[in-house]
PDB file of all heavy atoms in Angstrom:
ATOM      1  N   PHE A 116      -3.688  -2.311  -4.237  1.00 96.00           N
ATOM      2  CA  PHE A 116      -3.894  -3.452  -3.327  1.00 96.00           C
ATOM      3  C   PHE A 116      -2.665  -4.244  -3.157  1.00 96.00           C
ATOM      4  O   PHE A 116      -2.029  -4.684  -4.124  1.00 96.00           O
ATOM      5  CB  PHE A 116      -5.047  -4.291  -3.761  1.00 96.00           C
ATOM      6  CG  PHE A 116      -5.555  -5.424  -3.024  1.00 96.00           C
ATOM      7  CD1 PHE A 116      -6.177  -5.228  -1.769  1.00 96.00           C
ATOM      8  CD2 PHE A 116      -5.277  -6.777  -3.440  1.00 96.00           C
ATOM      9  CE1 PHE A 116      -6.487  -6.317  -0.935  1.00 96.00           C
ATOM     10  CE2 PHE A 116      -5.610  -7.796  -2.618  1.00 96.00           C
ATOM     11  CZ  PHE A 116      -6.269  -7.571  -1.415  1.00 96.00           C
ATOM     12  N   GLN A 117      -2.298  -4.578  -1.927  1.00 97.00           N
ATOM     13  CA  GLN A 117      -1.139  -5.383  -1.755  1.00 97.00           C
ATOM     14  C   GLN A 117      -1.203  -5.841  -0.194  1.00 97.00           C
ATOM     15  O   GLN A 117      -2.145  -5.428   0.460  1.00 97.00           O
ATOM     16  CB  GLN A 117       0.184  -4.799  -2.019  1.00 97.00           C
ATOM     17  CG  GLN A 117       0.743  -3.710  -1.002  1.00 97.00           C
ATOM     18  CD  GLN A 117      -0.134  -2.578  -0.861  1.00 97.00           C
ATOM     19  OE1 GLN A 117      -0.476  -1.868  -1.790  1.00 97.00           O
ATOM     20  NE2 GLN A 117      -0.662  -2.274   0.489  1.00 97.00           N
ATOM     21  N   CYS A 118      -0.214  -6.524   0.274  1.00 97.00           N
ATOM     22  CA  CYS A 118      -0.233  -6.886   1.701  1.00 97.00           C
ATOM     23  C   CYS A 118      -0.092  -5.700   2.572  1.00 97.00           C
ATOM     24  O   CYS A 118       0.624  -4.646   2.244  1.00 97.00           O
ATOM     25  CB  CYS A 118       0.975  -7.804   2.078  1.00 97.00           C
ATOM     26  SG  CYS A 118       1.200  -8.050   3.901  1.00 97.00           S
ATOM     27  N   ASN A 119      -1.025  -5.532   3.601  1.00 97.00           N
ATOM     28  CA  ASN A 119      -0.956  -4.255   4.421  1.00 97.00           C
ATOM     29  C   ASN A 119       0.108  -4.333   5.508  1.00 97.00           C
ATOM     30  O   ASN A 119       0.209  -3.364   6.272  1.00 97.00           O
ATOM     31  CB  ASN A 119      -2.373  -4.095   4.991  1.00 97.00           C
ATOM     32  CG  ASN A 119      -3.389  -3.595   4.021  1.00 97.00           C
ATOM     33  OD1 ASN A 119      -2.977  -2.871   3.033  1.00 97.00           O
ATOM     34  ND2 ASN A 119      -4.568  -4.009   4.124  1.00 97.00           N
ATOM     35  N   HIS A 120       0.766  -5.426   5.693  1.00 97.00           N
ATOM     36  CA  HIS A 120       1.816  -5.672   6.703  1.00 97.00           C
ATOM     37  C   HIS A 120       1.362  -5.268   8.080  1.00 97.00           C
ATOM     38  O   HIS A 120       1.718  -4.222   8.689  1.00 97.00           O
ATOM     39  CB  HIS A 120       3.126  -4.880   6.327  1.00 97.00           C
ATOM     40  CG  HIS A 120       3.589  -5.373   5.045  1.00 97.00           C
ATOM     41  ND1 HIS A 120       4.422  -6.406   4.960  1.00 97.00           N
ATOM     42  CD2 HIS A 120       3.331  -4.996   3.755  1.00 97.00           C
ATOM     43  CE1 HIS A 120       4.788  -6.600   3.687  1.00 97.00           C
ATOM     44  NE2 HIS A 120       4.098  -5.831   2.853  1.00 97.00           N
ATOM     45  N   CYS A 121       0.304  -6.079   8.621  1.00 96.00           N
ATOM     46  CA  CYS A 121      -0.207  -5.799   9.993  1.00 96.00           C
ATOM     47  C   CYS A 121       0.784  -5.694  11.082  1.00 96.00           C
ATOM     48  O   CYS A 121       1.779  -6.414  11.030  1.00 96.00           O
ATOM     49  CB  CYS A 121      -1.260  -6.920  10.294  1.00 96.00           C
ATOM     50  SG  CYS A 121      -2.565  -7.195   9.141  1.00 96.00           S
ATOM     51  N   GLN A 122       0.443  -4.936  12.062  1.00 95.00           N
ATOM     52  CA  GLN A 122       1.238  -4.882  13.196  1.00 95.00           C
ATOM     53  C   GLN A 122       1.247  -6.257  13.990  1.00 95.00           C
ATOM     54  O   GLN A 122       2.234  -6.597  14.514  1.00 95.00           O
ATOM     55  CB  GLN A 122       0.704  -3.777  14.162  1.00 95.00           C
ATOM     56  CG  GLN A 122       0.644  -2.418  13.623  1.00 95.00           C
ATOM     57  CD  GLN A 122       2.042  -1.819  13.652  1.00 95.00           C
ATOM     58  OE1 GLN A 122       2.880  -2.015  12.716  1.00 95.00           O
ATOM     59  NE2 GLN A 122       2.375  -0.959  14.695  1.00 95.00           N
ATOM     60  N   GLU A 123       0.078  -6.853  14.007  1.00 93.00           N
ATOM     61  CA  GLU A 123       0.067  -8.104  14.573  1.00 93.00           C
ATOM     62  C   GLU A 123      -0.693  -9.104  13.618  1.00 93.00           C
ATOM     63  O   GLU A 123      -1.949  -9.262  13.628  1.00 93.00           O
ATOM     64  CB  GLU A 123      -0.815  -8.157  15.946  1.00 93.00           C
ATOM     65  CG  GLU A 123      -0.021  -7.275  16.939  1.00 93.00           C
ATOM     66  CD  GLU A 123      -0.768  -7.343  18.361  1.00 93.00           C
ATOM     67  OE1 GLU A 123      -0.847  -8.528  18.912  1.00 93.00           O
ATOM     68  OE2 GLU A 123      -1.042  -6.319  18.914  1.00 93.00           O
ATOM     69  N   PRO A 124       0.102  -9.536  12.629  1.00 94.00           N
ATOM     70  CA  PRO A 124      -0.520 -10.314  11.500  1.00 94.00           C
ATOM     71  C   PRO A 124      -1.170 -11.610  11.837  1.00 94.00           C
ATOM     72  O   PRO A 124      -0.683 -12.388  12.680  1.00 94.00           O
ATOM     73  CB  PRO A 124       0.733 -10.541  10.647  1.00 94.00           C
ATOM     74  CG  PRO A 124       1.846  -9.853  11.281  1.00 94.00           C
ATOM     75  CD  PRO A 124       1.568  -9.654  12.674  1.00 94.00           C
ATOM     76  N   ALA A 125      -2.361 -11.863  11.312  1.00 93.00           N
ATOM     77  CA  ALA A 125      -3.063 -13.057  11.476  1.00 93.00           C
ATOM     78  C   ALA A 125      -2.388 -14.177  10.846  1.00 93.00           C
ATOM     79  O   ALA A 125      -2.406 -15.320  11.161  1.00 93.00           O
ATOM     80  CB  ALA A 125      -4.529 -12.890  11.001  1.00 93.00           C
ATOM     81  N   CYS A 126      -1.790 -13.880   9.630  1.00 94.00           N
ATOM     82  CA  CYS A 126      -1.116 -14.921   8.876  1.00 94.00           C
ATOM     83  C   CYS A 126       0.004 -15.559   9.672  1.00 94.00           C
ATOM     84  O   CYS A 126       0.213 -16.800   9.756  1.00 94.00           O
ATOM     85  CB  CYS A 126      -0.587 -14.404   7.528  1.00 94.00           C
ATOM     86  SG  CYS A 126       0.498 -12.931   7.703  1.00 94.00           S
ATOM     87  N   LEU A 127       0.729 -14.655  10.368  1.00 94.00           N
ATOM     88  CA  LEU A 127       1.817 -15.179  11.189  1.00 94.00           C
ATOM     89  C   LEU A 127       1.376 -16.061  12.352  1.00 94.00           C
ATOM     90  O   LEU A 127       1.943 -17.023  12.625  1.00 94.00           O
ATOM     91  CB  LEU A 127       2.609 -13.846  11.734  1.00 94.00           C
ATOM     92  CG  LEU A 127       3.792 -14.042  12.723  1.00 94.00           C
ATOM     93  CD1 LEU A 127       4.642 -12.754  12.497  1.00 94.00           C
ATOM     94  CD2 LEU A 127       3.432 -14.142  14.157  1.00 94.00           C
ATOM     95  N   THR A 128       0.336 -15.584  13.006  1.00 89.00           N
ATOM     96  CA  THR A 128      -0.276 -16.232  14.070  1.00 89.00           C
ATOM     97  C   THR A 128      -0.785 -17.701  13.649  1.00 89.00           C
ATOM     98  O   THR A 128      -0.621 -18.704  14.411  1.00 89.00           O
ATOM     99  CB  THR A 128      -1.484 -15.505  14.728  1.00 89.00           C
ATOM    100  OG1 THR A 128      -1.215 -14.191  14.599  1.00 89.00           O
ATOM    101  CG2 THR A 128      -1.819 -15.981  16.069  1.00 89.00           C
TER     102      THR A 128
END
Side-chain angles (χ1 to χ4, degrees):
Chain A
F116 179 71
Q117 78 297 306
C118 173
N119 286 326
H120 300 273
C121 301
Q122 298 284 82
E123 295 186 58
C126 55
L127 181 151
T128 323

